Amino acid sequence: MVEIRISGRGGQGAVLASQILAAALFENGLQVQSFPSFGAERRGAPVSAFLRADPEEITLRCGILHADWIVLFEADLLDNPVIMAGATPSTSVVLNMPRPPEKFDRSRFQRIFFVDASGIAERLRLRTTSFSIVNTAMVGAFACASGLVDMGSIARAVQALVPVKREENARAAEEACEQVREMVA
Amino acid sequence: MQTLQAENELVHPGSFSCPGCGLTMAYRHVLKALGRNTVVVTTAGCGSVVAGYYPMTSIKVPFFHCSFGTAASTAAGLRAGLDMMGKENTQVLAWAGDGGTFDIGLQSLSGAAERNDNILYVCYDNEAYMNTGVQRSSATPPGTWTTTTPGEAPEDRLKKDIVGIMAAHGVPYIATACTSFPEDLRKKVRRARAIPGFRFLHVLAPCPTGWMYAASETVHIGRLAVSTRTFPLFEILDGETTRLSPMPDKVPVTDYLKAQRRFRTLNEEEVRRIQEDVDRRWSRLSSAGRRKEE
Amino acid sequence: MKTLMTGNEAAAMGARMSRPQVIAAYPITPQTSIAEKLAGYTARKEIEARYIKVESETSAMAACIGGSLSGARVFTATSSQGLALMHELLHWAAGARLPVVLVNVNRSMAAPWSLGVDHNDTLSQRDTGCLQIYCETAQEVLDTVPMAYALAEKALLPVLICMDGFLLSHYTEPVDLPNQEDVDRFLPRRRADYRMDPNRPFTFGGGVSAEVLYGLRRRMQQDMDAAPALWEKINRRFRKIFARSLPAVETHGMEGSDLALVTNGTMAGTVKAYLRDRGAEKGVGLVKMRFFRPFPTESLRKVLEGCRAAVVVDRDLSPGGGGIFAQEVRAALHGTGPGIPVVSVIGGLGGVDVTPDHLDRLVTDLRSRRELPFETLWMEV
């Protein structure tokens, strides 16, 4: 079973990102389960969404205790202990940042990927009045970083689930897939 | 003058009411005016006792005893269901006392009025919780003795202006009526029947048991309530237009108060203040409405 | 058709496919999205129904009662405090023998304020005369709604469908969506023999003598007693069309196990995950209780026969009494053969996580004891 945690700030669309990924993984023949963090939602506050995927039926009903993957819409959430709960050295991360982090403890994670999702979203004018909407870009980056899901499925899930600017969002996922890079030692 | 034809009766003779019960008269007239294609919901109260005790029933149309606070919302659900069952022409009557309307039922009443649910809501007002043995409600007028406003501390609050509250909802039809003016009451029910949407009738139903007068005096007491303008008769259309109904000439309020022992502790000063309050409300009402001979 | 949906979407879809004619609901977390979905279906005329936007849950249930009296099929959904507000009306609905179906998204009762799941809201409705069915998955929720109508309209009692807040209501998961034609075949329109019809007038719910009330209550108990057999019949019919069934009590891995973990709702799913990894090695099986009212005493006795102990994990608490399911299981097993000890464990209140590790620690602890505890155990958080 693969367990994934997607974190951003309230309003950035982390929950939708997990649903897009769930739909794409489901189309790839996997059983999936996606859910938001519990509680009243507030714009701007750190939020998480969760995803499980497995070839077998998933019956587990509890929070994700160990994340195989953590996808962060804002790299500064790396320092948030609540968001990073469940991260271990066997966890891999996908970060929204234009270049690899400097002075970074490489041993914290198994693999580290980065992508300038904000830049992609800005260029495609995917934004609200206060921040850029990076969820579809981050989904694309995750897909290509992890190799767990193909981009065709992602594109179809974006078309099916994103309520506005479907073309731009599909483009964002595609561009992020091409641009995502792994940080090398 | 129209005669009351016995063949149109929807209430069986004989009921569990006290002798001289005002609401039983209202029950009979309202149903007579509504006709056979009617269903009724009623809340706890004298009305549910009058309705009968299994295996007896006092009524010839379908009847449901609902929870105390939910006459309006139960009726709203029934209305929706009947519409879906193709029975759009069936009238839904919510029948509730002052407790079930002014107090515990006010929230559901407000909800149904605000949604303009297509029901006729009739409040039979006997100005206290009579079925439980005379406790004050927010419909109890100042100076009244009840078991919860005993002689040492009679009711000292004004009666809640339920009609004003309903008018603020902007419902298509509101009327006040009194059992002592049966033609007026039935005319208003027939008018209400023809109007779609939420209709509210506030019917004063004198109660010999709780108001403490002789059972034979119910019609007289009701007439005094109207002629003193303690309970004026009028209609409000769409929450805007007030139309006064024909009423006998005005007489002093003391005639009404003195006729009932529930007001026995009132002193002259208190009677004067009640008269002032009645006059103030009457002058406001008569300037809002225009007298219309019908 | 296989698709993804949340538990709440499944509830709304189950309701939609059952063709309710009157819907009355009031928003409350975590139920709200059910009401939103149904309002949308009605507004877009995807279902032929009246949606009454009531001003409280009391009025929601009152409107359902009124709607049901007309002979129409009615639906509502609520949660926690909203269900508590309906409490009086649930007695009215059951007493008037109306087949109202409602979904409750379980959430703990205030105070203090919490959005997490436990079952105190529905278990507080134990004695209202509503049947209670607990669901584990979105598929179960979707299937249970039409089955609940079939049961309610036969037994003439309301059915309260219970689903865990967030752990089910907000989890997106695969669901096999039935065809509307198949659902219509399974669940034809309601036929109400007694309804508010001016052509055939009846008085409902009026005053009765003590003897009549006594008789009516006895009748209610008899109809509750008959419900499990009725449910089996409904299940057989459902399985024929949809190749799925939802028995009142379900077991997993009980063969060769001497310890039964007895639980309900989504907790059963976590137990299944635990059993898959460690069940055989620990000698543990699962007894999942779908029904709470009527209490499936006979089925329970059958599946627990020969067990060394039944460990009841309650996501609820009757303060001063302990786990509610545990009490009921104890009562159900009392007087059977050699007697099966019941261990009562409280876990998951307010939605606190219960993981396979928690379950493993519980089982390991119980295995290490010489005597099984009678006092209530609390899972560590």
Side-chain angles (χ1 to χ4, degrees):
Chain A
M1 183 154 60
V2 185
E3 297 187 292
I4 305 159
R5 177 176 197 133
I6 302 170
S7 296
R9 294 193 178 276
Q12 281 185 320
V15 175
L16 183 58
S18 82
Q19 284 169 345
I20 293 168
L21 267 182
L25 287 159
F26 184 58
E27 198 195 271
N28 283 202
L30 290 172
Q31 299 295 308
V32 292
Q33 185 189 66
S34 86
F35 52 99
S37 51
F38 305 161
E41 281 171 31
R42 196 157 55 82
R43 287 186 91 76
V47 292
S48 293
F50 307 89
L51 184 65
R52 290 189 172 106
D54 196 87
E56 301 287 312
E57 184 195 357
I58 302 164
T59 65
L60 202 58
R61 299 270 174 175
C62 56
I64 283 178
L65 305 170
H66 164 77
D68 298 294
W69 286 89
I70 293 180
V71 180
L72 294 182
F73 290 5
E74 289 194 12
D76 61 2
L77 292 171
L78 272 170
D79 303 322
N80 185 316
V82 176
I83 294 292
M84 298 309 288
T88 68
S90 66
T91 302
S92 297
V93 292
V94 184
L95 308 173
N96 172 19
M97 49 190 354
R99 60 194 71 82
E102 290 163 26
K103 286 189 287 177
F104 189 76
D105 179 8
R106 187 64 194 74
S107 64
R108 263 182 84 182
F109 302 109
Q110 189 174 29
R111 299 176 76 184
I112 302 162
F113 294 86
F114 61 96
V115 65
D116 184 14
S118 298
I120 293 169
E122 284 298 319
R123 279 195 298 282
L124 291 165
R125 298 179 191 280
L126 295 170
R127 63 182 340 276
T128 68
T129 46
S130 42
F131 43 69
S132 46
I133 305 289
V134 297
N135 57 355
T136 41
M138 291 304 288
V139 163
F142 169 81
C144 292
S146 66
L148 286 169
V149 55
D150 72 276
M151 283 307 290
S153 301
I154 294 283
R156 281 186 290 279
V158 167
Q159 289 292 344
L161 294 172
V162 177
V164 290
K165 295 192 177 176
R166 295 204 177 96
E167 295 310 319
E168 291 86 338
N169 276 294
R171 276 276 299 284
E174 218 165 282
E175 285 184 23
C177 165
E178 285 159 14
Q179 291 175 26
V180 66
R181 295 288 176 271
E182 183 167 5
M183 181 182 164
V184 283
Chain B
M1 193 174 173
Q2 194 196 355
T3 51
L4 306 181
Q5 291 166 0
E7 62 261 35
N8 291 336
E9 293 293 345
L10 292 176
V11 178
H12 292 286
S15 83
F16 285 91
S17 67
C18 304
C21 173
L23 86 86
T24 309
M25 299 179 197
Y27 185 50
R28 199 181 134 220
H29 291 300
V30 168
L31 286 164
K32 209 175 172 64
L34 275 177
R36 214 167 261 281
N37 194 6
T38 300
V39 294
V40 187
V41 301
T42 197
T43 67
C46 293
S48 55
V49 177
V50 168
Y53 225 64
Y54 180 84
M56 288 177 280
T57 185
S58 67
I59 188 170
K60 299 179 188 173
V61 295
F63 196 95
F64 178 64
H65 296 256
C66 68
S67 89
F68 204 174
T70 64
S73 43
T74 306
L78 186 52
R79 167 82 277 153
L82 288 170
D83 287 349
M84 292 305 297
M85 302 293 287
K87 295 193 179 297
E88 292 92 346
N89 296 327
T90 300
Q91 284 288 329
V92 177
L93 169 66
W95 178 251
D98 48 296
T101 302
F102 288 61
D103 289 348
I104 197 169
L106 187 63
Q107 178 179 312
S108 77
L109 173 63
S110 172
E114 172 275 318
R115 291 187 303 267
N116 198 26
D117 287 328
N118 185 19
I119 60 172
L120 171 61
Y121 190 108
V122 178
C123 171
Y124 61 89
D125 181 6
N126 51 25
E127 302 198 316
Y129 291 88
M130 297 312 186
N131 186 39
T132 43
V134 199
Q135 294 80 35
R136 70 83 75 175
S137 74
S138 61
T140 304
T144 305
W145 173 95
T146 70
T147 60
T148 52
T149 49
E152 297 78 12
E155 179 59 34
D156 60 354
R157 302 291 305 154
L158 287 178
K159 182 182 173 95
K160 188 187 278 183
D161 180 11
I162 194 72
V163 165
I165 291 169
M166 296 317 292
H169 286 74
V171 297
Y173 187 76
I174 297 170
T176 66
C178 175
T179 49
S180 303
F181 298 83
E183 283 105 41
D184 178 69
L185 169 59
R186 282 183 289 120
K187 187 161 63 195
K188 284 168 175 169
V189 172
R190 282 196 300 272
R191 236 173 234 163
R193 189 180 60 177
I195 297 170
F198 191 89
R199 296 140 284 155
F200 184 78
L201 243 68
H202 182 198
V203 181
L204 188 72
C207 168
T209 310
W211 296 10
M212 300 175 164
Y213 62 81
S216 58
E217 294 301 298
T218 294
V219 173
H220 178 60
I221 294 289
R223 288 200 147 269
L224 282 172
V226 173
S227 59
T228 56
R229 306 299 187 259
T230 305
F231 194 88
L233 304 180
F234 59 99
E235 295 164 297
I236 301 176
L237 309 176
D238 298 317
E240 295 275 345
T241 315
T242 303
R243 191 160 67 186
L244 293 176
S245 311
M247 277 176 279
D249 289 339
K250 191 168 180 247
V251 297
V253 77
T254 173
D255 293 7
Y256 177 61
L257 300 174
K258 286 241 166 78
Q260 304 165 60
R261 286 208 298 124
R262 63 169 171 160
F263 294 120
R264 65 187 176 276
T265 62
L266 286 175
N267 60 33
E268 261 176 50
E269 170 58 18
E270 286 162 337
V271 170
R272 195 183 56 74
R273 263 188 283 143
I274 290 173
Q275 181 71 62
E276 274 174 16
D277 177 56
V278 165
D279 290 344
R280 193 175 57 247
R281 284 189 294 120
W282 171 242
S283 109
R284 202 170 59 204
L285 184 70
S286 46
S287 66
R290 55 196 164 80
R291 195 179 287 270
K292 195 179 170 191
E293 288 302 322
E294 289 172 274
Chain C
M1 184 186 77
K2 290 257 186 195
T3 183
L4 293 180
M5 55 173 67
T6 64
N8 276 358
E9 286 166 346
M13 185 54 76
R16 172 190 166 133
M17 293 191 139
S18 302
R19 300 192 186 276
Q21 294 155 298
V22 177
I23 300 163
Y26 187 80
I28 182 169
T29 305
Q31 172 273 140
T32 309
S33 56
I34 301 177
E36 287 175 338
K37 277 272 169 201
L38 289 167
Y41 295 150
T42 317
R44 293 189 298 272
K45 304 208 186 313
E46 292 166 22
I47 45 172
E48 259 182 84
R50 287 289 167 87
Y51 186 105
I52 308 177
K53 298 167 191 81
V54 284
E55 81 300 327
S56 71
E57 287 90 351
T58 306
S59 279
M61 185 46 66
C64 282
I65 288 170
S68 194
L69 279 163
S70 75
R73 187 171 283 158
V74 302
F75 181 81
T76 186
T78 188
S79 192
S80 181
Q81 313 299 130
L83 186 67
L85 209 53
M86 282 183 186
H87 175 77
E88 183 205 356
L89 281 298
L90 294 177
H91 280 282
W92 281 92
R97 305 300 301 259
L98 297 171
V100 175
V101 170
L102 71 150
V103 168
N104 182 76
V105 184
N106 287 105
R107 167 183 161 186
S108 75
M109 296 290 302
W113 203 59
S114 161
L115 298 174
V117 53
D118 57 51
H119 300 153
N120 267 53
D121 52 357
T122 43
L123 291 173
S124 293
Q125 313 310 322
R126 188 186 70 169
D127 304 331
T128 53
C130 295
L131 290 96
Q132 279 195 35
I133 307 176
Y134 287 82
C135 299
E136 182 201 327
T137 64
Q139 184 75 61
E140 283 189 22
V141 172
L142 177 55
D143 293 345
T144 301
V145 180
M147 290 173 81
Y149 277 111
L151 181 61
E153 289 169 14
K154 199 86 185 158
L156 291 182
L157 284 168
V159 178
L160 172 55
I161 300 171
C162 314
M163 54 184 278
D164 288 357
F166 289 107
L167 292 178
L168 176 49
S169 67
H170 285 61
Y171 272 42
T172 300
E173 58 190 82
V175 162
D176 191 354
L177 198 62
N179 287 325
Q180 183 66 58
E181 302 77 60
D182 289 339
V183 178
D184 289 342
R185 194 149 53 93
F186 170 76
L187 183 71
R189 282 201 177 274
R190 178 184 168 203
R191 268 200 49 204
D193 291 333
Y194 297 96
R195 56 195 165 86
M196 299 273 276
D197 179 358
N199 296 324
R200 205 168 154 251
F202 290 104
T203 291
F204 299 85
V208 294
S209 67
E211 289 75 15
V212 170
L213 182 113
Y214 190 84
L216 290 171
R217 288 293 178 269
R218 189 166 180 179
R219 180 73 191 274
M220 200 189 264
Q221 177 64 35
Q222 285 165 352
D223 290 340
M224 277 278 186
D225 287 343
L230 202 55
W231 183 250
E232 268 182 43
K233 233 168 105 180
I234 291 166
N235 261 291
R236 278 198 296 274
R237 217 152 50 73
F238 192 84
R239 186 168 41 222
K240 256 188 212 156
I241 302 176
F242 303 102
R244 291 188 294 273
S245 66
L246 305 171
V249 175
E250 207 174 278
T251 60
H252 292 263
M254 282 299 291
E255 227 161 283
S257 301
D258 64 342
L259 212 61
L261 287 171
V262 182
T263 193
N264 64 327
T266 59
M267 187 93 77
T270 303
V271 172
K272 282 182 200 166
Y274 167 63
L275 297 186
R276 197 151 41 216
D277 293 343
R278 284 168 275 191
E281 141 207 356
K282 298 278 184 174
V284 198
L286 163 69
V287 173
K288 168 171 141 179
M289 296 201 54
R290 200 168 265 125
F291 266 63
F292 177 72
R293 277 294 175 272
F295 200 76
T297 302
E298 269 184 48
S299 310
L300 201 63
R301 286 180 173 192
K302 210 175 292 169
V303 299
L304 287 173
E305 207 179 335
C307 259
R308 196 171 73 88
V311 182
V312 183
V313 183
D314 267 288
R315 196 188 277 279
D316 59 75
L317 175 73
S318 172
I324 298 168
F325 270 86
Q327 296 171 31
E328 299 255 352
V329 173
R330 263 187 197 133
L333 296 181
H334 186 75
T336 50
I340 301 162
V342 172
V343 179
S344 170
V345 186
I346 306 291
L349 299 183
V352 75
D353 248 353
V354 173
T355 65
D357 282 342
H358 287 98
L359 296 168
D360 192 52
R361 279 199 292 274
L362 169 69
V363 170
T364 307
D365 170 40
L366 291 173
R367 288 283 185 211
S368 72
R369 294 184 190 225
R370 196 185 301 219
E371 269 181 47
L372 291 170
F374 187 77
E375 76 279 6
T376 303
L377 303 181
W378 286 72
M379 272 189 190
E380 54 196 291
V381 173

